[in-house]
Amino acid sequence: MRAAVVRTFGGPEAVELVDAEVPEPAARQVRIKVAAAALNPVDAGVRSGVFGGAGKQVGLGWDVAGTVDAVGVAAAWSVGEEVVALDYGMVKPLGTHAEYVVVDTDAVALAPNSVDAVHAATLPLNALTAVQALDLLDLSPGDSLLVTGGAGAVGGYAVQLAARRGVTVAALARAQDEEFVRSLGATRFPGGEGSFDAVLDAAVLGAEALALVRDGGVYAGVIPQAQPASERGVRTDAVEVSADGARLAELVRSVDAGELTLRVAETYALEGAVKAHARLAEGGIRGRLVLVP
């Protein structure tokens, strides 16, 4: 099979397309024939060596939508089922930017019925990050939440999920995105002022976002162990996303109920992985870039 990897760190040109053995599922694993796989900022971090792995072949891609192609013992899935999954891992020899990927059975959920595989591939990493960050915040209906980067992939899901929980949501985003984030459920569009019960800092503003939390409130970041130090009694934490097929299935049900908005910016063939990384590096993307083997 073909797979996108890096063997030396660098910019988009560091991405290589290589021939690799089709992976075999072990016990409690499934192999998925990849129909679509999203490209995320974490892939740029992996590509540039932020997470280590020097001297190794490092695979790219965390999100996958596709079809179960083979199953290991006690895998609990059947060949032919259309699924989505999160293939978690910073330094792994192969990722989801490939023609096939093997994942643990409990990382998998049935794919949404209401969208195609390209859109479904944008769900796992970003929506799981959003919902697990909201779990850290532990908000009650009526609490106030500010989501920074509210028009981004994680931020957009967080706005919708929090609003569904009865939380009063404000969103920081570009002025041209105000109408969009309001359509997701944000009731306020502050200009960098205010005091909120909680902040979900999807834009990685750090201390600037922490300053907007009321005394005794709570802050959640999206980069593990990179949250600012606590001050004014504010509890600070950061989400480290984990693969969770049961939770992913809940998110899929929200998609099919019309409660979550999946956004695709552009699609690229797997052979166009370098171009996709170059486009990601340009910034200003609304929605995800998706590779289609």
Side-chain angles (χ1 to χ4, degrees):
M1 70 169 188
R2 302 288 275 166
V5 304
V6 291
R7 291 185 284 198
T8 57
F9 298 133
E13 72 286 347
V15 178
E16 301 179 54
L17 212 61
V18 300
D19 291 313
E21 293 292 328
V22 175
E24 293 296 332
R28 297 190 54 77
Q29 290 186 322
V30 300
R31 185 171 70 211
I32 299 170
K33 184 177 182 181
V34 179
L39 175 64
N40 288 281
V42 70
D43 293 304
V46 171
R47 184 199 73 222
S48 59
V50 170
F51 305 109
K56 300 178 181 179
Q57 173 179 296
V58 182
L60 299 167
W62 293 44
D63 288 307
V64 61
T67 305
V68 175
D69 171 74
V71 297
V73 176
W77 294 93
S78 300
V79 171
E81 289 184 299
E82 294 184 3
V83 296
V84 289
L86 176 65
D87 181 24
Y88 176 87
M90 302 292 185
V91 181
K92 53 197 177 187
L94 294 169
T96 64
H97 295 172
E99 293 176 317
Y100 295 88
V101 64
V102 166
V103 298
D104 293 340
T105 184
D106 57 6
V108 180
L110 287 173
N113 293 316
S114 56
V115 298
D116 60 18
V118 170
H119 284 80
T122 68
L123 181 69
L125 175 59
N126 294 293
L128 282 170
T129 298
V131 75
Q132 291 171 8
L134 290 172
D135 291 345
L136 288 179
L137 294 173
D138 192 26
L139 299 174
S140 300
D143 286 347
S144 61
L145 169 68
L146 174 66
V147 178
T148 72
V154 172
Y157 288 135
V159 170
Q160 289 186 300
L161 290 165
R164 294 288 303 178
R165 296 182 181 189
V167 172
T168 302
V169 184
L172 276 182
R174 298 176 183 177
Q176 59 264 40
D177 290 319
E178 178 174 0
E179 182 178 349
F180 173 70
V181 295
R182 287 189 183 278
S183 77
L184 298 179
T187 57
R188 286 185 58 197
F189 194 79
E193 76 288 333
S195 182
F196 300 89
D197 295 319
V199 166
L200 198 168
D201 189 16
V204 197
L205 301 181
E208 182 183 347
L210 179 63
L212 300 176
V213 183
R214 65 163 174 79
D215 292 357
V218 60
Y219 166 104
V222 295
I223 300 178
Q225 285 107 40
Q227 68 268 28
S230 176
E231 60 180 48
R232 299 179 290 105
V234 175
R235 175 171 63 86
T236 63
D237 209 339
V239 64
E240 181 165 2
V241 70
S242 60
D244 185 337
R247 205 65 187 280
L248 184 55
E250 294 175 6
L251 294 165
V252 166
R253 287 191 286 273
S254 293
V255 171
D256 284 336
E259 297 166 359
L260 284 180
T261 302
L262 308 182
R263 291 176 289 158
V264 174
E266 299 174 46
T267 60
Y268 293 81
L270 184 59
E271 290 75 12
V274 171
K275 291 181 180 179
H277 276 257
R279 177 66 188 93
L280 180 65
E282 291 173 3
I285 299 168
R286 286 292 173 258
R288 280 285 171 249
L289 307 176
V290 180
L291 298 178
V292 182

